[in-house]
Amino acid sequence: MSTVDNTSLKLTKENEQAADFLPLLGTDHVELYVGNAKQAAYYYMAAWGFQPLAYAGLETGLKDKVSYVLQQDKIRLVLTSPLKPGGEINRHVNSHGDGVKAIALWVDNASKSYEETTKRGAESYLKPTTVKDEHGEVVLSGIHTYGETVHIFVERSKYSGPFMPGYIKWDPYYRAEPVGLKYIDHMVGNVGWNEMNKWCDFYARVMGFAQLISFDDKDISTEYTALMSKVMSNGNGRIKFPINEPAEGRKKSQIEEYIEFYNGAGVQHIAVATDNIIETVTSLKKRGVEFLTVPAIYYEDVLDRVGEIDEDLAPLKELGILIDRDDEGYLLQIFTKPILDRPTMFIEIIQRKGAKSFGKGNFKALFESIEREQASRGTL
Ligand code: FE2
C-alpha cells in the first residue's frame, strides 16, 4: 500500500485568507435528530462516556420536542426527539433515521457569519436570532449544506449558562466514566454521484475553505468497490470536512449504500480524537461498542510500511487499531460498525502523532472490511 503524498497538505494562501470573512473558532456542537433522545442519551453516556450537561423539554416550556446535551472534553452532542406526531423532526427521522441534523460552528459573530455566507450563495436556514436567559445571551444563525444537513453559527461570548438559553442544567445521578475523547477531528459528508466537486466548491466559495487533499478512485478502491474523496479545511485548520462520493466499481460502493439508507446526502462519520487510543478503545469495547476488524495479515507488514512507532504492536493488533504515516508523523485509527440500525453513521477514533492526513494507507484494508459487512447485509 502506498504512503500518503503529503505535498498538498500545507494550507494555501487562499486558505489563510478564509479566516478573514468566516473565522471559525471550532465545532460548537453536533445535533442529531433521533427517534428516542432519552435512550440515545443513555447510549452515548454508558457506551461512549459522555457526561450529562443540559436539557430542554416539557419541563422547560417546550411543547413538541425534547433535547439532551452531552459533553466529553470539547465534544458536545445534542440529541433531539419530537414529542408529538407531525412536524419537521418527525419528517427528518422518518426520512433519514437517526442522523446528524446540524454541525454547529463556534464563531465570534453569528450575524456576520450569516451575512458573509448567504452573500456568497448559501441558502438561509436560520436568520440571526438572539436568545436570552438569566445567564446572558447567545446569537444563532444557520445555513443549509449537503442533503438536509445544516450549519449553525453560535456566538456565545456573552453567555455563562450550561449550554444556551432555553436549556437547564441536566444533573441525573447516573454518570459513566469518560473514555478519553477530546475533540472532533473531522466530520465526513457522503454526497451523491458526481456531487463531490459541487459541495467542495460550496465550502470553498461560500465558507472560504481550501482543499487539503484529494483521493480518487485509484486510491480508494478494492477489487469490488470504489469512492472518491476530497478534504476541505477552514483557515486555521480546526474544521475539516472530507466529502465523499461513490465511484463505479464491480459492486455497490459503501457510499451508495449509505445514500440509499439515509435517503440522501448526510454525515457519514464523526472522527473523535484521543490521546491514548489503546485505553480509549479498550474501554469502548468493554462497554459493547463494535468495531470493524482487519485480518491478522494486516499487522505482518504494517511496521515495514509505517516504520517505528511508540506503541507496542500487540495491543494494536489485539484491538484492531490501524496505523498510517505521512511526512509529518503517524496516526492510529479505528472505525466502529454503523452505530444505528440503518447502515449509515459510524464513529472513528483517531490518535494523531504528528500526521495531518487521514489514513490513506489503510483505505484498502478498511474497505475490504466494510465490504465484508455489506455482504452480510446483502447490500454489496
Ligand atoms: Fe475519517
Side-chain angles (χ1 to χ4, degrees):
M1 276 181 258
S2 62
T3 52
V4 174
D5 164 18
N6 207 26
T7 50
S8 57
L9 280 171
K10 308 284 179 288
L11 292 180
T12 63
K13 230 191 185 105
E14 190 184 295
N15 200 222
E16 282 162 15
Q17 281 166 1
D20 293 347
F21 77 87
L22 187 63
L24 300 174
L25 306 173
T27 308
D28 189 272
H29 65 270
V30 177
E31 181 171 21
L32 291 95
Y33 281 175
V34 301
N36 187 337
K38 185 172 213 158
Q39 293 197 357
Y42 181 72
Y43 166 76
Y44 286 102
M45 289 195 287
W48 290 90
F50 279 86
Q51 305 300 305
L53 180 69
Y55 169 86
L58 294 171
E59 298 82 349
T60 66
L62 293 182
K63 301 283 183 236
D64 57 357
K65 67 169 186 175
V66 58
S67 294
Y68 295 81
V69 188
L70 306 164
Q71 183 159 17
Q72 188 163 183
D73 205 327
K74 294 192 175 66
I75 312 164
R76 271 197 297 247
L77 296 181
V78 180
L79 305 165
T80 297
S81 282
L83 291 172
K84 290 182 174 169
E88 175 53 28
I89 304 167
N90 271 309
R91 193 198 52 73
H92 198 278
V93 172
N94 183 43
S95 175
H96 305 297
D98 290 6
V100 171
K101 175 62 189 177
I103 302 170
L105 303 167
W106 177 29
V107 298
D108 277 329
N109 188 328
S111 306
K112 182 164 185 285
S113 303
Y114 180 86
E115 267 166 45
E116 297 287 348
T117 50
T118 51
K119 182 169 89 185
R120 287 171 171 80
E123 192 192 331
S124 170
Y125 174 71
L126 175 69
K127 286 188 179 155
T129 305
T130 304
V131 283
K132 296 180 184 180
D133 67 10
E134 71 272 24
H135 302 294
E137 64 176 56
V138 169
V139 186
L140 302 168
S141 65
I143 58 170
H144 288 268
T145 178
Y146 50 79
E148 291 204 276
T149 317
V150 300
H151 288 305
I152 304 290
F153 300 115
V154 184
E155 173 187 335
R156 55 166 69 255
S157 56
K158 293 183 197 141
Y159 194 69
S160 61
F163 180 55
M164 60 172 75
Y167 289 80
I168 53 171
K169 188 167 187 245
W170 178 37
D171 195 20
Y173 68 80
Y174 177 71
R175 288 287 191 289
E177 268 297 298
V179 298
L181 304 180
K182 299 279 180 194
Y183 60 89
I184 293 179
D185 186 274
H186 59 277
M187 287 186 70
V188 180
N190 280 346
V191 299
W193 289 98
N194 306 313
E195 291 211 314
M196 176 181 70
N197 285 334
K198 173 185 145 185
W199 287 106
C200 290
D201 180 59
F202 167 88
Y203 281 107
R205 185 171 40 84
V206 169
M207 296 181 67
F209 283 34
Q211 187 179 318
L212 278 186
I213 196 164
S214 80
F215 307 102
D216 64 18
D217 47 354
K218 284 174 217 70
D219 296 320
I220 317 184
S221 65
T222 65
E223 189 186 349
Y224 297 118
T225 73
L227 65 84
M228 293 196 283
S229 186
K230 283 185 178 173
V231 182
M232 303 302 289
S233 168
N234 79 317
N236 61 20
R238 288 187 202 166
I239 310 291
K240 291 183 282 289
F241 293 146
I243 305 286
N244 298 332
E245 74 173 32
E248 288 292 351
R250 281 165 58 197
K251 293 192 176 181
K252 186 186 279 184
S253 168
Q254 53 167 296
I255 311 303
E256 265 183 287
E257 185 199 35
Y258 175 99
I259 300 275
E260 185 179 308
F261 280 92
Y262 197 72
N263 194 23
V267 171
Q268 178 210 37
H269 74 268
I270 304 175
V272 288
T274 169
D275 288 341
N276 189 331
I277 197 167
I278 292 174
E279 280 180 21
T280 296
V281 174
T282 300
S283 303
L284 290 170
K285 282 192 137 176
K286 266 189 206 144
R287 300 174 192 205
V289 175
E290 294 184 306
F291 292 93
L292 292 175
T293 56
V294 286
I297 195 170
Y298 171 91
Y299 295 93
E300 278 175 23
D301 63 351
V302 69
L303 294 181
D304 299 338
R305 180 165 64 81
V306 302
E308 230 173 84
I309 57 170
D310 302 336
E311 293 74 13
D312 288 335
L313 193 59
L316 299 176
K317 181 177 174 183
E318 164 88 28
L319 295 165
I321 293 164
L322 309 174
I323 314 153
D324 198 24
R325 183 179 286 278
D326 64 25
D327 295 349
E328 292 171 76
Y330 68 97
L331 63 81
L332 304 163
Q333 64 185 168
I334 190 168
F335 299 82
T336 69
K337 293 182 181 182
I339 57 167
L340 308 163
D341 283 317
R342 297 194 198 190
T344 52
M345 196 177 84
F346 59 89
I347 294 176
E348 170 183 354
I349 315 295
I350 185 166
Q351 182 178 5
R352 293 189 180 276
K353 305 205 77 167
K356 298 224 170 68
S357 50
F358 296 84
K360 173 178 161 180
N362 291 320
F363 287 171
K364 197 165 157 48
L366 186 66
F367 295 158
E368 284 169 353
S369 176
I370 291 175
E371 283 166 17
R372 287 193 295 277
E373 298 287 321
Q374 270 183 274
S376 74
R377 293 192 284 265
T379 59
L380 183 62

